[in-house]
Amino acid sequence: MKKALKTFSDPQKLQKWCAARREAGARIALVPTMGYLHEGHLSLIAAARKKGADEIVVSVFVNPVQFGPNEDYEKYPRDEKADLAKCRAAGATAVFFPTPANMYLDGYSTYITEETLAAGLCGARRPGHFRGVCTVVAKLFNIVHPHLAVFGQKDFQQAAVIKRMVRDLNFDVQIVVSPIVREPSGLARSSRNTYLSDDERTRAVALSQALRLAKADVAAEGSVPWRACRAKIVKMLEKAGLTVDYVEAVDSETLAPVKTLAKGVAVLLAVWCGKTRLIDNIEL
Ligand code: AMP
């Protein structure tokens, strides 16, 4: 039988409930999100279930600290009612909807900075972004004290940074990274896809097409010079009318740039599709 879905907005109440459940022997999973849930988020809930979690806590919080001053914090899509219904249907057992005021009390002044993996890629283009992500995730870990936490491969760099933070700060949490869920067109599902016009949505298909190109090159030739492949990818993205923010090939563990595409390399890209910034990646 499905359990009733509990909702919390007060961090202390959630913390108390989680502690009691842990004490009673429940295995607790955390799925951190910014809401406006889609199939990608729901796949993380499914992954938590598969890992044997008894309680699956989904946090829905548009975290102001991870947005830059000129980013989309204000207009980020929100729909608590729909999120609640989706969490219920997907088998979550608790949803946490905190407010910025109860997550960041007056005079809040403590932040977590990962200094290596967060430096490049999105970290270089979005100063302070991963500081905000690490801080909120560390807070969620302290509130929920989960046995495991599930993140999406969609945010490849984020998953790497969180894994490093967990290792470096001795968090007692197993990190599970779940594959990218795509629309039938290949476009990676994202809450920000809602910003796209029909025309932009069509053009955005080039992101996943470009990544498949890299994969096909490696499948055909084993290892491929990145310079040549990158040029093809950039051409494809630009032909679709997208503006490249970055296209990089990195070691999938260290995120250090590589010169040759081969197994164990990840290709990551960020592009502007009109006013919307989209990211995607593939691990070879
Ligand atoms: P967000 O709400 O965009 O902050 O995402 C919350 C979590 O869902 C992160 O761990 C994301 O990586 C993950 N996620 C978002 N989109 C997808 C997707 N298309 N496939 C898999 N995971 C995703």
Side-chain angles (χ1 to χ4, degrees):
M1 199 180 76
K2 242 184 196 175
K3 288 191 195 175
L5 181 66
K6 291 194 156 293
T7 62
F8 296 87
S9 59
D10 180 350
Q12 279 181 315
K13 284 193 180 144
L14 176 63
Q15 196 170 42
K16 247 179 125 172
W17 179 76
C18 289
R21 293 302 299 133
R22 190 177 243 266
E23 185 66 28
R27 187 168 159 78
I28 302 177
L30 170 68
V31 178
T33 82
M34 296 205 299
Y36 212 74
L37 302 179
H38 51 66
E39 294 293 328
H41 298 115
L42 304 184
S43 74
L44 308 186
I45 298 174
R49 233 189 6 241
K50 242 186 171 164
K51 290 276 172 191
D54 304 301
E55 301 291 356
I56 303 175
V57 181
V58 178
S59 62
V60 173
F61 181 52
V62 185
N63 173 33
V65 180
Q66 71 190 64
F67 286 78
N70 299 316
E71 294 184 352
D72 56 344
Y73 174 68
E74 294 298 339
K75 76 163 188 178
Y76 196 85
R78 293 161 168 91
D79 189 344
E80 280 198 11
K81 224 172 130 186
D83 287 348
L84 204 56
K86 286 177 190 170
C87 283
R88 184 175 283 118
T93 60
V95 187
F96 180 39
F97 292 110
T99 63
N102 64 20
M103 283 296 268
Y104 300 106
L105 300 179
D106 266 355
Y108 188 90
S109 57
T110 307
Y111 298 90
I112 293 179
T113 317
E114 190 288 323
E115 301 190 350
T116 303
L117 304 180
L121 304 162
C122 284
R125 276 88 187 170
R126 303 184 64 190
H129 171 66
F130 288 115
R131 170 180 179 263
V133 169
C134 286
T135 301
V136 81
V137 169
K139 284 171 68 68
L140 291 167
F141 285 175
N142 284 331
I143 294 166
V144 174
H145 194 184
H147 295 83
L148 64 137
V150 191
F151 293 85
Q153 180 142 22
K154 159 90 195 319
D155 297 270
F156 193 93
Q157 186 179 16
Q158 171 173 283
V161 169
I162 296 294
K163 279 194 270 185
R164 178 61 60 88
M165 176 184 82
V166 163
R167 189 200 73 172
D168 287 355
L169 297 183
N170 305 90
F171 278 105
D172 182 21
V173 181
Q174 180 198 349
I175 301 301
V176 175
V177 182
S178 200
I180 303 178
V181 175
R182 299 178 178 280
E183 295 186 358
S185 68
L187 177 64
R189 291 192 188 270
S190 164
S191 308
R192 289 191 169 99
N193 290 351
T194 185
Y195 298 150
L196 302 174
S197 67
D198 289 347
D199 172 56
E200 287 171 340
R201 205 170 253 279
T202 309
R203 290 192 281 125
V205 171
L207 275 84
S208 56
Q209 282 172 345
L211 292 170
R212 281 207 301 272
L213 191 95
K215 192 170 180 161
D217 273 6
V218 172
E221 295 168 42
S223 75
V224 180
W226 171 234
R227 238 177 104 101
C229 182
R230 186 181 184 281
K232 278 202 283 186
I233 289 177
V234 169
K235 202 167 158 192
M236 196 163 173
L237 295 170
E238 288 178 345
K239 200 169 156 210
L242 306 169
T243 305
V244 171
D245 190 8
Y246 67 76
V247 179
E248 291 189 31
V250 300
D251 178 278
S252 59
E253 296 289 323
T254 64
L255 305 190
V258 299
K259 291 205 160 90
T260 308
L261 288 190
K263 235 179 138 203
V265 168
V267 178
L268 283 77
L269 51 83
V271 306
W272 287 95
C273 182
K275 288 186 173 154
T276 305
R277 187 172 179 278
L278 300 173
I279 59 171
D280 201 348
N281 68 80
I282 199 164
E283 199 176 352
L284 301 172

